Amino acid sequence: MQDFTTRLEALASQSLLRTRRVVEGPQGPLLQVEGTQELSFCSNDYLGLANHPALIDAATDALQRYGMGAGASPLISGHSRAHESLESELAAFVGTPSALVFGSGYMANLGVTAALVGKGDTVIVDRLAHASLIDGARLSGASLKVFPHNDAVRLEQVLARCTTGRKLVLTDAVFSMDGDLAPLAALAAVCGRHDAWLLVDDAHGLGVHGPQGRGSLALAGVRAAHVLTMGTLGKAAGVAGAFVAGDAGVLAWILQRARTYMFSTAHPPALAAATSASLALIAREDWRRERLQALAAQLRAGLAGLPWSLLPSATAIQPLIVGENATARALSAALRAQGIWVPAICPPTVPKGTARLRISLSALHTSADVARLVAALTALA
Ligand SMILES: *Cc1c(COP(=O)(O)O)cnc(C)c1O
């Protein structure tokens, strides 16, 4: 016990102690938080669908039909008609033969990685890949190698040295703390040349990138049997859960071997039904993506003269690098005092010395909302 108290104090003294706040109502640009209303720039609800009436109606109808809980894992009796339909819709949406729904993106990355590679194989991960990909790589028991961020040339050198076993390359499509894009066409080509699988984590691209929001692979024009995509359903899609999509043969294998799929209760059918409704809106409502682009442009122009710099991001994630943990936390606190919620992201989530404000935009923000944030940051600078 004593030990943990000391360790917690050490975290606190380095401004590394994480805390939670209690949100009292639905997601949206304005959040009710512990008795106050705050303008939020911290959600991954990029398209503003998390509180959309069509999703709530679809879930409500499905609750009447299926009840609340899935009752069992998908391979026992938890796989409902709602899940079955959603999987076909997801596969069609991202343009692959097959898709499989998981309880969360974290579980999908763990399960898929360990299903594809194991002892005697090699998994090669982008240096800035999401924690769930790194954890999946470790859990798989394969030899773990890292390639420099977005460097397809160095990746090819690493792959060329792997002469035995299977090879799996893991990358985010949109890097969650930087907002930059992986060179997916180059990575897919390199993997193809070296007989390696490529698993692309499109948590932040699905719904936002590509024609009709079909994702980062659609944006890059990449479609190949050795490329798998993982999309999360709790971010732009506004619900919860995740899926992996790709070639039917490899998906059939993942169904047999992904332990986070086999040994976990299926996510509730009502969530699958809500996700189907969400996919229809994502495909139909281009205005949400257009609004995001316009808001990002407004923010970037507005913050251009500040001492801190925005990373070059064309996505809904706009990180403002401030450097020191304490500075990032002080800025976040000063904004909060004005009713604006922008999270400070510090190591170990990001590399030392690159603490930042992670500004995330939603299609439901107005240009007045962005102007308010720009004015507040300008005054603080
Ligand atoms: C959020 C996220 C995940 C995890 O997805 P969940 O459905 O929230 O578990 C995986 N990868 C990336 C890049 C993410 O941003």
Side-chain angles (χ1 to χ4, degrees):
M1 293 301 277
Q2 196 63 43
D3 182 36
F4 287 114
T5 308
T6 314
R7 288 157 74 179
L8 283 167
E9 281 164 1
L11 284 180
S13 72
Q14 299 165 69
S15 315
L16 289 177
L17 202 58
R18 318 285 284 263
T19 56
R20 301 174 299 174
R21 304 181 73 211
V22 182
V23 174
E24 313 279 2
Q27 287 296 310
L30 290 176
L31 282 182
Q32 289 299 133
V33 195
E34 294 167 357
T36 62
Q37 192 177 60
E38 296 187 10
L39 177 59
S40 151
F41 290 96
C42 46
S43 162
N44 301 316
D45 179 26
Y46 304 128
L47 298 179
L49 294 173
N51 188 35
H52 194 288
L55 275 63
I56 296 167
D57 287 349
T60 308
D61 289 350
L63 283 173
Q64 299 300 334
R65 178 162 168 201
Y66 296 101
M68 187 68 247
S73 68
L75 288 167
I76 307 298
S77 61
H79 183 63
S80 69
R81 174 62 59 194
H83 292 106
E84 180 74 11
S85 303
L86 176 60
E87 287 181 348
S88 312
E89 290 158 19
L90 286 166
F93 187 70
V94 297
T96 58
S98 203
L100 190 63
V101 169
F102 279 75
S104 74
Y106 190 95
M107 297 213 310
N109 282 340
L110 251 54
V112 170
T113 302
L116 295 181
V117 289
K119 226 171 145 53
D121 299 330
T122 306
V123 57
I124 308 152
V125 188
D126 184 286
R127 196 178 67 79
L128 297 186
H130 190 262
S132 56
L133 290 173
I134 310 270
D135 292 355
R138 289 191 180 131
L139 185 68
S140 73
S143 156
L144 172 58
K145 295 193 159 57
V146 175
F147 67 98
H149 180 52
N150 279 349
D151 193 336
V153 173
R154 293 286 295 281
L155 170 63
E156 180 144 38
Q157 293 166 358
V158 177
L159 281 168
R161 286 196 296 267
C162 297
T163 48
T164 58
R166 294 186 189 83
K167 288 163 270 189
L168 171 65
V169 174
L170 306 177
T171 187
D172 296 23
V174 177
F175 286 83
S176 52
M177 295 303 146
D178 296 69
D180 59 335
L181 306 183
L184 294 176
L187 296 177
V190 165
C191 290
R193 281 199 289 278
H194 292 272
D195 196 23
W197 290 100
L198 174 62
L199 172 61
V200 174
D201 177 336
D202 204 16
H204 301 280
L206 187 85
V208 176
H209 287 161
Q212 297 178 291
R214 289 170 193 275
S216 300
L217 287 165
L219 177 68
V222 173
R223 198 189 281 191
H226 67 284
V227 178
L228 291 163
T229 185
M230 195 290 293
T232 59
L233 302 172
K235 289 174 177 154
V239 188
F243 68 97
V244 59
D247 175 69
V250 70
L251 266 287
W253 177 253
I254 290 168
L255 177 68
Q256 300 303 315
R257 280 293 181 274
R259 295 170 65 84
T260 56
Y261 187 81
M262 304 167 72
F263 300 113
S264 187
T265 303
H267 92 325
L271 300 188
T275 307
S276 293
S278 176
L279 273 189
L281 287 170
I282 290 172
R284 195 163 68 232
E285 298 193 341
D286 277 331
W287 69 263
R288 293 177 189 273
R289 285 174 285 278
E290 288 158 11
R291 172 72 72 75
L292 268 182
Q293 288 306 316
L295 293 168
Q298 182 193 348
L299 180 76
R300 299 190 70 82
L303 297 183
L306 297 195
W308 313 297
S309 53
L310 280 171
L311 290 176
S313 161
T315 71
I317 305 168
Q318 296 287 331
L320 189 69
I321 304 290
V322 302
E324 293 304 315
N325 299 349
T327 315
R329 290 196 191 281
L331 278 175
S332 178
L335 289 171
R336 186 171 307 166
Q338 302 174 45
I340 304 176
W341 187 356
V342 183
I345 308 286
C346 295
T349 309
V350 294
K352 248 196 157 109
T354 71
R356 64 199 66 188
L357 294 180
R358 182 179 184 271
I359 302 166
S360 51
L361 297 168
S362 155
L364 296 187
H365 280 123
T366 62
S367 69
D369 293 335
V370 170
R372 194 174 148 204
L373 174 62
V374 167
L377 281 168
T378 306
L380 287 167

